[in-house]
Amino acid sequence: MTPAALRVPAIDDDTPELRARLHAIWATTPGWKGWFTTVDHKEIGIRYIVTAFVLLALGGVEALAIRLQLAGPDLRLMTPEQFNIFFSMHGMTMIFLYSSPVLSGFSNYLWPLLLGARDMAFPRLNAFSYWVYLAAALFLYTGFLTGNGPNDGWFNYVPYAERQYNPGLNQDFYALGMVLLGISTAVGAANFVVTAFKMRAPGMSIDRLPILIWGTLTASVANLVVVPAVSLAFFLLWLDRQFGTSFFRPAGGGQPLLWQHLFWLFGHPWVYAIVLPAMGMVSDGLPVFCRRPLVGYSLVALSTVATMILGFGVWVHHMFATGLPGLSLSFFSGASIVITVPSAVAVFAWLATIWTGRPVRSTAFLFFAAMILLFVIGGVSGFMTASVPVDWQLTDTYFVVAHLHYVLIGINVFPVVGATYFWFPKLTGRMMDERLGRWNFWTMFLGFNLGFLPMHLIGLFGMPRRVWTYPAEMGWSALNMITTIGSFAFAIGVLLFFVNVAKSWRAGALAPADPWGGSTLEWALPSPPAPYNFAVIPTIASRHPLWEEALDENTPRSTITRGMMLDTGKETVTTTPLDAIPDRIVEMPCDSWAPLLLAVALGILFVALLLKLWLAIALGALLVLGALILWLWPQRRLLEREPAHG
Amino acid sequence: MADAMPAAPGPLPVGPVGRRGLGQWGVGALIASEAALFAYLLFAYFYAAASARPGWLLEPAPKLWPALPNTLLLLSSSLVAWIGEKGVERGRRAEALTGLIGAFVMGAGFAAVQVYEWSIKPYRLGTSSYAALYFTTTGFHMAHVVAGLVILAMLALWVALDFFSPRRRIVVSAGVLYWHFVDAVWLLVFATYYLTPYLGFAR
Ligand code: HEM
């Protein structure tokens, strides 16, 4: 039978019979087979989040080891070489394996629910992106466990990273691991971009998107074009080390600064990529607890995009101390100062939302509100280092360590933990413990400030970052001890969070569909949602589909219980990019082995490259090719080929 | 309050039709990312060249033979691939096969000449940063040519198996689009390495 080229989608109510039909079509195969082949964005999202939290814990343990070594003067708990590996592993883990993937995880889980979609645009690509992330994490940690972790800091400057100075496999693990991780990030970003433009429910025009969508979309557009820069940089470094090229080696006419340009061309937009989605979480979550819509929606959405556009123009501020021409410094310094404006817009919007709302002080609210405070502190210290003369004083001191933790922990970890309290009921069907939540919050908040505020002072007193130890005469000992105590307190706070998650997941109170009285679509679904998300495709008429009655806006109402059924296959609908008018019925792929196979093939290829085993490299490449062909082989079910033919 | 009305679209296309569908967006995103990759490679060249000492260019006047005819060969293969796509669109299988296989042969010819050119260069990968950039950039491009050739070969196979129709052919359009991209990028690589020295850049 040839499916018709055109069809008028049938419209009906959300009924139990319809749900039963859809369930049979959409559910992942049960058992281990389904575990390996699933393409359900909810399953993949949870995996991303859990894996990222495991890596947060690992990176945290590394940080505690660093803090122990620095707790007092002249300690000898680790050797200098071990210390190098530990702080580099810590930075690399936190930046690349935790901060970004955890946000991808939340976005993977939440996007289709927020958008009124049944899945992401490319479900198999989504699964692939997770598997490659896992492979890269395993790859990098294999290096660490065999004593070959990165050892030149997370931004890995040449010439230290060149083979002459760094003969072990450390840098080769790091370089190839990052190229592998780059594949995961880039395909994930592509998936988000296409999903944002094509998979929204009818009526969800571009001015009705939740801010989390804006945040992740902006970050993804950036990632799509900047991740190749760092992948390339690491690949060239690997060539320099293994094949005697001289991209970064002055002896052969190379340019050490080229590394820094390529790295920060990527690195700075990336820093925004790991905060903008988290800011989106706050922009969407905070208003729910303030019982009012976000103040200044359009401004916040615009400032999200503006931050990223400016973010492309500030990379050189990481290189103020490298002897670049003065004019160039002034330009980038100016851009770095201007970029605080859109960030300030967001801060004022949140404050105004709290001010004019009726705040409900749940744990999630506390985390979101604390984020604003930490953001301001981190922002001010960032603003200070955006000024060239100040930067010359402060660069490479603990002041910078303090700054980057206020930014990263403040704008990534706090919102992410808050988001977990907020969305946990949706993800698992259970509530998290609020009482433990208070303990969790206050330990994290006080511990963090106790540990990291004094670091500003230590920096001003001149303690460089990345030093293995310091003599007692410097007078830094007391502050360092306080910092270490604070770090442990913070770590205990994070531990309480994990305990709460584990406990609540097993035995938390059962969650209703909408425990917080939320405004966006995900709260219209049962907790946890069914495999197909929406039994009928919702139609959106406002920015707050669930608050229309409460806000009593005199506008058309959204409909969530009646709409297109699309139940004759694993179907959903795509819409136009701006106005979200339905334009096509699409078949979605079922469970598939191809993503896992391709990821495994890539893993083999990269291990072979690391060891330079030519036969294995050839085999790995062939496997990659085979997996790709398997994946892309045109399928009748997906209507990629004509059933009547062939 | 206005009435709640679910969106009730008229007849919608089912699945990818012609060249349009989600797959087209996917290839678009892939191309954007890969174009960025080449942009960084060329950035690396211009950055190194602009800050290098005189004599950095190992070939101040790059020989245009056989590079220029080879470039024309690759560019015209795009046209031939397009004819192949049109063949599928019109339901003419012979035309489609001729186009796809023709493009494959021309692309393979390009790759062979390029390998020959590598072999006659008086410098090797490790000679200097110029040499490293030259071989790496053209090498990256070669990797894309090889990927494109595999795609063209698979498309030809699938057309031979009669998979497609004028309606269901998004795979062909996506693959051919990728081939156009590979060819367009070469034009930039060629212009950078073979033509800018004649404009006096980095000489
Ligand atoms: C228990 C929590 C944490 C503690 C105690 C901690 C402690 C530290 C310390 C002491 C350093 C400086 C090492 C040195 O320069 O010698 C450092 C570096 C760093 N931390 Fe953390 N950190 C924690 C959590 C985080 C988190 C959550 C992130 C990111 C999301 C992060 C990102 C970084 C980065 C990027 C560096 C720079 C690494 C480098 O110099 O290459 N840290 N951390």
Side-chain angles (χ1 to χ4, degrees):
Chain A
M1 187 197 76
T2 314
L6 292 175
R7 198 171 91 212
V8 179
I11 296 196
D12 209 335
D13 290 327
D14 176 352
T15 58
E17 297 75 54
L18 173 62
R19 286 187 171 264
R21 272 201 306 281
L22 287 172
H23 199 282
I25 297 171
W26 283 79
T28 299
T29 326
W32 62 272
K33 218 173 130 194
W35 201 86
F36 286 115
T37 58
T38 185
V39 292
D40 183 341
H41 72 97
K42 298 182 285 301
E43 184 60 42
I44 296 164
I46 290 181
R47 283 177 197 181
Y48 251 112
I49 297 171
V50 170
T51 312
F53 277 142
V54 169
L55 283 148
L56 173 68
L58 289 175
V61 171
E62 287 147 15
L64 294 181
I66 298 174
R67 282 318 316 172
L68 279 180
Q69 164 63 28
L70 293 175
D74 293 315
L75 293 182
R76 294 284 182 279
L77 301 176
M78 331 180 180
T79 64
E81 172 59 11
Q82 281 168 338
F83 188 83
N84 288 348
I85 295 189
F86 266 78
F87 79 71
S88 308
M89 254 340 252
H90 166 70
M92 182 277 282
T93 305
M94 291 303 195
I95 295 269
F96 296 120
L97 299 178
Y98 157 74
S99 327
S100 164
V102 80
L103 298 175
S104 300
F106 274 98
S107 291
N108 256 320
Y109 190 96
L110 291 170
W111 265 45
L113 308 183
L114 291 168
L115 294 175
R118 284 181 174 169
D119 206 324
M120 299 279 287
F122 303 116
R124 286 174 297 179
L125 206 57
N126 209 11
F128 172 66
S129 147
Y130 171 75
W131 292 122
V132 175
Y133 158 51
L134 183 65
L138 290 174
F139 188 90
L140 288 162
Y141 265 82
T142 306
F144 179 58
L145 292 178
T146 55
N148 293 304
N151 53 1
D152 293 323
W154 71 282
F155 42 73
N156 212 47
Y157 280 176
V158 296
Y160 303 132
E162 291 282 1
R163 196 171 185 176
Q164 258 168 298
Y165 307 102
N166 212 326
L169 274 183
N170 309 53
Q171 290 302 326
D172 303 300
F173 266 107
Y174 194 18
L176 292 172
M178 285 301 295
V179 176
L180 191 57
L181 184 65
I183 297 175
S184 161
T185 315
V187 298
N191 206 353
F192 283 125
V193 172
V194 179
T195 302
F197 285 124
K198 292 306 292 175
M199 305 305 284
R200 309 198 309 264
M204 188 178 283
S205 50
I206 203 100
D207 55 340
R208 292 178 184 157
L209 295 179
I211 302 283
L212 174 60
I213 307 285
W214 279 111
T216 311
L217 172 61
T218 312
S220 301
V221 171
N223 276 346
L224 198 60
V225 294
V226 299
V227 166
V230 79
S231 301
L232 178 67
F234 273 106
F235 185 77
L236 299 185
L237 174 65
W238 183 66
L239 290 183
D240 262 14
R241 294 175 52 82
Q242 296 298 328
F243 297 91
T245 56
S246 33
F247 291 104
F248 308 122
R249 293 188 299 143
Q255 269 290 354
L257 273 185
L258 177 61
W259 169 271
Q260 297 197 20
H261 279 297
L262 286 175
F263 191 92
W264 289 117
L265 261 168
F266 151 82
H268 205 84
W270 175 266
V271 173
Y272 291 107
I274 62 186
V275 299
L276 288 177
M279 290 165 70
M281 291 168 161
V282 176
S283 295
D284 289 343
L286 194 64
V288 172
F289 295 106
C290 296
R291 320 302 313 150
R292 59 149 300 144
L294 178 69
V295 173
Y297 168 93
S298 312
L299 280 177
V300 174
L302 275 178
S303 73
T304 306
V305 178
T307 304
M308 190 49 93
I309 293 173
L310 289 171
F312 282 112
V314 299
W315 84 89
V316 171
H317 77 201
H318 296 268
M319 301 164 60
F320 280 167
T322 53
L324 294 174
L327 183 64
S328 144
L329 292 191
S330 313
F331 171 80
F332 285 102
S333 171
S336 309
I337 290 173
V338 169
I339 203 168
T340 53
V341 173
S343 312
V345 167
V347 168
F348 285 119
W350 296 324
L351 289 180
T353 307
I354 300 180
W355 194 260
T356 57
R358 285 169 284 134
V360 179
R361 275 186 289 272
S362 65
T363 308
F365 174 83
L366 290 176
F367 275 102
F368 292 151
M371 174 269 197
I372 305 174
L373 180 67
L374 302 179
F375 186 14
V376 170
I377 300 179
V380 168
S381 60
F383 183 78
M384 288 168 69
T385 50
S387 142
V388 175
V390 179
D391 184 70
W392 281 348
Q393 276 306 311
L394 296 177
T395 192
D396 282 330
T397 70
Y398 257 81
F399 191 87
V400 171
V401 179
H403 160 67
L404 70 93
H405 285 87
Y406 268 89
V407 177
L408 290 171
I409 296 187
I411 328 183
N412 183 296
V413 178
F414 273 78
V416 162
V417 174
T420 311
Y421 277 89
F422 184 49
W423 278 298
F424 191 83
K426 191 52 62 191
L427 267 74
T428 64
R430 290 176 186 277
M431 306 295 293
M432 282 183 72
D433 185 334
E434 280 286 314
R435 218 166 67 88
L436 190 50
R438 297 307 147 101
W439 282 97
N440 172 192
F441 171 74
W442 288 109
T443 331
M444 271 177 73
F445 184 74
L446 296 176
F448 174 65
N449 284 298
L450 180 66
F452 289 81
L453 259 185
M455 275 193 198
H456 292 101
L457 268 184
I458 306 180
L460 289 172
F461 292 162
M463 175 157 162
R465 69 193 280 201
R466 297 173 172 173
V467 287
W468 154 68
T469 189
Y470 50 91
E473 308 85 79
M474 301 304 296
W476 303 331
S477 314
L479 283 172
N480 266 303
M481 186 46 118
I482 297 176
T483 289
T484 299
I485 295 172
S487 302
F488 273 83
F490 177 68
I492 291 172
V494 177
L495 191 67
L496 287 179
F497 168 63
F498 289 145
V499 168
N500 199 350
V501 166
K503 197 170 95 88
S504 309
W505 207 333
R506 274 214 333 275
L510 288 181
D514 186 7
W516 315 114
S519 70
T520 37
L521 281 176
E522 77 274 30
W523 303 111
L525 302 174
S527 305
Y532 44 84
N533 298 350
F534 294 89
V536 293
I537 306 293
T539 303
I540 305 307
S542 76
R543 214 172 269 160
H544 307 284
L546 270 54
W547 279 3
E548 285 162 359
E549 293 299 328
L551 296 174
D552 198 31
E553 285 167 352
N554 197 18
T555 49
R557 296 290 195 243
S558 304
T559 26
I560 298 169
T561 52
R562 187 177 166 79
M564 291 177 260
M565 297 190 292
L566 298 174
D567 58 344
T568 59
K570 200 172 176 184
E571 293 169 336
T572 189
V573 66
T574 63
T575 51
T576 54
L578 295 182
D579 300 325
I581 298 164
D583 67 356
R584 187 181 306 279
I585 297 170
V586 290
E587 281 287 337
M588 302 300 275
C590 294
D591 294 358
S592 163
W593 284 100
L596 179 61
L597 269 179
L598 183 56
V600 170
L602 275 174
I604 294 174
L605 178 63
F606 274 73
V607 172
L609 285 172
L610 177 79
L611 303 173
K612 290 214 267 184
L613 299 171
W614 295 105
L615 216 62
I617 293 176
L619 181 77
L622 280 179
L623 280 175
V624 169
L625 186 68
L628 273 172
I629 291 178
L630 177 77
W631 185 326
L632 296 174
W633 196 270
Q635 291 182 28
R636 290 205 183 102
R637 221 194 54 75
L638 298 178
L639 306 174
E640 288 164 340
R641 57 188 261 214
E642 204 52 84
H645 294 230
Chain B
M1 182 192 116
D3 269 356
M5 285 289 286
L12 294 178
V14 183
V17 173
R19 54 163 60 233
R20 312 185 66 81
L22 275 180
Q24 194 191 24
W25 283 78
V27 175
L30 174 73
I31 288 179
S33 199
E34 298 227 75
L37 176 66
F38 279 97
Y40 297 121
L41 272 166
L42 297 183
F43 166 80
Y45 174 84
F46 286 116
Y47 181 77
S51 54
R53 276 191 282 281
W56 178 76
L57 277 186
L58 296 182
E59 281 179 290
K63 279 203 274 308
L64 293 180
W65 175 265
L68 182 59
N70 208 25
T71 302
L72 297 178
L73 175 69
L74 190 66
L75 291 183
S76 35
S77 81
S78 246
L79 197 70
V80 176
W82 178 78
I83 293 174
E85 186 190 349
K86 282 283 157 205
V88 178
E89 188 182 326
R90 301 205 183 100
R92 301 199 192 125
R93 202 130 63 99
E95 202 177 301
L97 277 176
T98 318
L100 293 170
I101 295 175
F104 177 89
V105 172
M106 292 164 82
F110 169 86
V113 173
Q114 182 65 35
V115 171
Y116 165 74
E117 240 206 291
W118 284 345
S119 74
I120 57 168
K121 288 284 175 200
Y123 45 84
R124 299 267 65 102
L125 185 65
T127 307
S128 75
S129 65
Y130 173 84
L133 280 162
Y134 171 78
F135 281 111
T136 308
T137 309
T138 51
F140 261 88
H141 185 262
M142 179 62 84
H144 285 74
V145 170
V146 171
L149 288 176
V150 173
I151 292 174
L152 288 173
M154 294 310 295
L155 290 181
L157 172 72
W158 292 333
V159 169
L161 290 174
D162 202 12
F163 275 13
F164 305 114
S165 70
R167 187 159 55 114
R168 301 292 184 209
R169 62 183 169 83
I170 188 167
V171 182
V172 180
S173 299
V176 170
L177 182 62
Y178 189 78
W179 186 250
H180 293 327
F181 163 71
V182 171
D183 299 348
V185 163
W186 174 255
L187 203 55
L188 296 178
V189 173
F190 175 77
T192 301
Y193 280 87
Y194 290 83
L195 300 185
T196 58
Y198 288 105
L199 301 176
F201 185 72
R203 265 219 258 193

